[in-house]
Every structure is written in structure tokens, then in C-alpha cells.
Amino acid sequence: CCRSRDALHLEPHISPDGMHFFWLSTLEGPGAYNGGQEIWVMDREGDDWGDPYPLPEIINTAGSEYFPSTTRDGTLYFTRSPAGGGENRIWRSRRVEGIYQEPELLPEQVNCGRNRFNAFVDPDEGFLILGVGGMPDTQGGTDYYIVFRNELDQWSDPVNLGPRVNTAGSLE
């Protein structure tokens, strides 16, 4: 990770079309909602990136939002940790005509185990890979799992990616 202007910047993600650069930041200033962990973005402007700005309050709350991942149609998947503590959960916000819609908490097949975070979505939204803690078939403390999504927006049970990916260590 790196620090600039006393802010933490982590978890970069470039949208599948290459037009948006998302990341977690603790930047403060105009447009920052809580000075905590929020998702920021820069838009592609020719050969350069535009000025950074936080995603709207419908995404960034008084809690912490992080690990952005997007689909080809602009749907945003992210992790949210509620203000004051609690479980990290995976959320999704559809983007309709350039506007993020009210985020929806994904079902228990995605929000499995005791703790889950850092979900990477396939650009075509066919699967998620996510870190999960507290599963009965764990190789260690936290493992990577894959969850498949069908055309009816139903999710499969999580599948541990096994010992070629996961280790007996506590964090993958």
C-alpha cells in the first residue's frame, strides 16, 4: 500500500471498458462523506485520468466501503463494514443511465461464513471470487471461494478453491 497526502490508497480496480479507475481511499475534502474508507473513482479523459471523486452517498456511508469490482454493464460489487463494527458483507449496486441504484445485500451463498470480503466479480457477472473466514471446509483461517451466478440471478453454494490457492495460513 502507499500513502499520499496522509491518505491511504488501496485495492485498485479498472473497469472492464478501461474508462473508470476505482480504489479505496481515506482522502478527505470536498465530496468525502466520512473521512473513513470510501470508494473513489477517476474517469478516463483521453490519454489521462480525470480528477478523483468519491462515489455518491448511496454507496459511501458512515461505515466503510472497499474493494470495488465492476461488470461490463457498470454494476458495482463492493464490501461494506457497518459503522461501529460488525460483519463485512458483499453488496451490489446496479448502474442505470449512469446512476448507481440502492445497493442490495447479496444472498447467503455469497455472504457465507463468519466474515467475507474482497469479492472480485467476473466482468460478465457469471461468478464471484471472495475471501471468506469461518467456513467448515477451510484450509486455514480465511480462504478464497468461488460462487457462480446463473441467468436468473441465483447464486450457487460457495466452492473452496482448494489447496492450490488456499493454505493453512490464517490469511490468503
Side-chain angles (χ1 to χ4, degrees):
C1 75
C2 60
R3 290 186 177 271
S4 66
R5 291 190 259 154
D6 296 323
L8 183 66
H9 305 284
L10 296 167
E11 304 170 347
H13 169 76
I14 296 177
S15 63
D17 64 5
M19 298 303 292
H20 310 283
F21 184 107
F22 297 85
W23 74 98
L24 166 151
S25 183
T26 58
L27 282 171
E28 295 183 20
Y33 305 108
N34 63 40
Q37 294 181 356
E38 297 177 333
I39 298 173
W40 285 65
V41 65
M42 292 184 296
D43 301 323
R44 172 67 74 183
E45 296 177 353
D47 291 335
D48 296 317
W49 293 106
D51 291 333
Y53 60 93
L55 289 182
E57 289 182 79
I58 198 163
I59 303 296
N60 288 324
T61 67
S64 292
E65 287 76 27
Y66 53 98
F67 208 88
S69 186
T70 58
T71 64
R72 290 187 205 289
D73 71 2
T75 298
L76 173 70
Y77 283 73
F78 62 98
T79 304
R80 177 177 283 161
S81 179
E87 292 184 3
N88 297 315
R89 295 184 187 261
I90 309 300
W91 295 75
R92 170 176 69 187
S93 176
R94 300 276 183 207
R95 193 167 184 194
V96 178
E97 297 180 9
I99 298 171
Y100 287 105
Q101 304 302 299
E102 184 69 37
E104 60 182 299
L105 179 64
L106 292 176
E108 64 185 27
Q109 294 88 341
V110 174
N111 283 299
C112 55
R114 286 191 316 264
N115 196 16
R116 72 290 305 152
F117 44 88
N118 297 9
F120 168 80
V121 65
D122 161 49
D124 295 319
E125 209 171 7
F127 64 87
L128 283 174
I129 296 174
L130 63 154
V132 180
M135 293 290 281
D137 63 343
T138 184
Q139 304 287 315
T142 299
D143 285 356
Y144 280 103
Y145 286 78
I146 190 166
V147 183
F148 296 95
R149 179 183 164 274
N150 68 22
E151 62 280 348
L152 300 175
D153 199 31
Q154 298 166 328
W155 296 89
S156 72
D157 288 335
V159 176
N160 189 304
L161 292 180
R164 296 185 88 178
V165 172
N166 298 308
T167 67
S170 62
L171 293 174
E172 300 308 326

